[in-house]
Amino acid sequence: MNISPNTKLVGLIGHPVEHSLSPKLHNSLYKKYNLDYVYLAFDIAPDDVGKALEAFKVLGFKGFNVTIPHKERVMWFLDWLDTEAAIIGAVNTVKVENGKLIGYNTDGMGFVDSLKRRGIALKDTVALVLGAGGAARAICVYLLKEGVKELYIYNRTRERAIELIKHLERFFSGVCLNYLTKENIKEVQPDLVVNTTPVGMWPHTQLMPVEDYAFLPGMIVVDIIYNPIETAFLRKARQAGCMAINGLDMLVGQAIKAIEIWTSLKVDYDEAISILIEGDKFLL
């Protein structure tokens, strides 16, 4: 990369971030489209988020992405929220403009687009979401916008699941919204199961967000983790006859939207995914 004093800075904050493919994806796209940008990843502890954002403003960053576990916490330090981010209650993309921090959320859009590209319709389906954090919030909002008729949430902390359901009920009516416990999660037979938690992510690749879950043939199972490409959760789903989808499409979809927010450039999806996948081969 040809980095100069004019090179514009963007990046990622999370904890941890060493697994992230975002720097590879973004920097390859900037090179391909002749954008004088560089994308860096920063491991920021939760208590240091505010200080990091102030530093980004001082250093002249044009924007940054936000990943686990900061998608909700980062909202405390922003100057303005896009309407979509306000409804979701979480932020994954921030633009720095005239010294102001503007928050957006592109996770839900990236998730739904990954299903639509496979011809999957969500209207009148039953969905189960594992987790109640920032990614879960975005995905739940978009599932409801797409017409899911029943939405169930399972989270290790029941209070977080209830809090998310109450938040969703403020914006959506006429939908069955409920939380599940370890004892009754097997009573629901959804069309779609989505893992939004980091459980199973590298390096703890053998962990499962739900132990002994009874997958049924024909279920659509999505794990938004992309490292590893096939988590233990997805492998079990695939072996049970489910359609198993990893988080690569969502990663690419939200990256494309973030680049558009920061630069106004519309990046082609096929060109973006080709940076990470060549034929059936995943390129690390």
Side-chain angles (χ1 to χ4, degrees):
M1 297 178 66
N2 184 22
I3 298 174
S4 75
N6 295 319
T7 300
K8 298 174 178 63
L9 299 172
V10 288
L12 169 72
I13 64 169
H15 183 64
V17 294
E18 62 262 27
H19 68 283
S20 178
L21 292 178
S22 290
K24 174 183 174 64
L25 175 59
H26 278 261
N27 289 321
S28 297
L29 286 169
Y30 301 151
K31 182 177 180 180
K32 186 177 187 67
Y33 286 92
N34 295 314
L35 289 173
D36 192 10
Y37 278 70
V38 63
Y39 188 103
L40 304 168
F42 301 91
D43 191 325
I44 305 295
D47 290 343
D48 292 331
V49 169
K51 290 183 283 187
L53 269 56
E54 283 301 313
F56 285 169
K57 288 197 290 186
V58 172
L59 293 170
F61 272 66
K62 295 299 179 182
F64 53 93
N65 288 132
V66 185
T67 190
I68 293 172
H70 303 326
K71 293 184 180 185
E72 295 168 78
R73 179 182 292 265
V74 75
M75 296 174 66
W76 303 351
F77 307 100
L78 303 181
D79 298 296
W80 185 80
L81 285 177
D82 171 70
T83 303
E84 192 95 324
I87 293 173
I88 291 168
V91 163
N92 78 326
T93 302
V94 176
K95 182 177 183 179
V96 185
E97 190 171 46
N98 299 321
K100 302 293 184 182
L101 299 174
I102 305 168
Y104 300 85
N105 195 304
T106 65
D107 275 340
M109 183 186 305
F111 173 80
V112 167
D113 285 350
S114 73
L115 298 185
K116 289 181 176 179
R117 274 189 287 272
R118 290 172 168 80
I120 298 170
L122 294 169
K123 187 173 175 57
D124 294 328
T125 59
V126 177
L128 166 61
V129 173
L130 309 178
R137 283 174 168 265
I139 287 170
C140 286
V141 166
Y142 266 80
L143 288 174
L144 294 171
K145 286 175 67 173
E146 291 293 318
V148 165
K149 67 178 180 181
E150 295 179 32
L151 176 60
Y152 296 90
I153 297 169
Y154 170 80
N155 193 62
R156 286 177 295 181
T157 307
R158 188 179 73 167
E159 289 74 20
R160 289 273 285 169
I162 294 172
E163 177 190 340
L164 175 52
I165 287 170
K166 288 181 178 178
H167 176 82
L168 295 170
E169 286 175 339
R170 294 170 53 201
F171 302 98
F172 299 94
S173 59
V175 182
C176 174
L177 288 167
N178 213 333
Y179 69 91
L180 299 175
T181 65
K182 188 181 295 184
E183 291 69 35
N184 66 8
I185 190 170
K186 295 178 182 178
E187 297 175 9
V188 175
Q189 296 183 354
D191 305 294
L192 172 69
V193 181
V194 187
N195 176 39
T196 70
T197 78
V199 179
M201 185 172 70
W202 183 90
H204 307 293
T205 56
Q206 296 310 308
L207 297 181
M208 302 268 283
V210 181
E211 294 294 337
D212 301 321
Y213 185 75
F215 292 106
L216 298 176
M219 280 182 176
I220 300 164
V221 181
V222 184
D223 195 328
I224 68 170
I225 293 170
Y226 56 80
N227 188 2
I229 288 301
E230 185 178 72
T231 59
F233 191 66
L234 279 188
R235 183 164 57 252
K236 184 178 178 182
R238 177 177 54 78
Q239 292 169 348
C242 303
M243 178 185 287
I245 303 171
N246 63 35
L248 271 183
D249 272 0
M250 182 173 165
L251 169 72
V252 170
Q254 64 89 8
I256 287 172
K257 188 62 181 175
I259 292 171
E260 183 180 342
I261 288 169
W262 298 331
T263 72
S264 299
L265 175 71
K266 293 185 180 295
V267 173
D268 180 74
Y269 169 83
D270 291 330
E271 289 185 350
I273 198 71
S274 69
I275 291 170
L276 301 177
I277 298 178
E278 188 176 277
D280 293 328
K281 182 181 178 183
F282 176 60
L283 306 175
L284 278 173

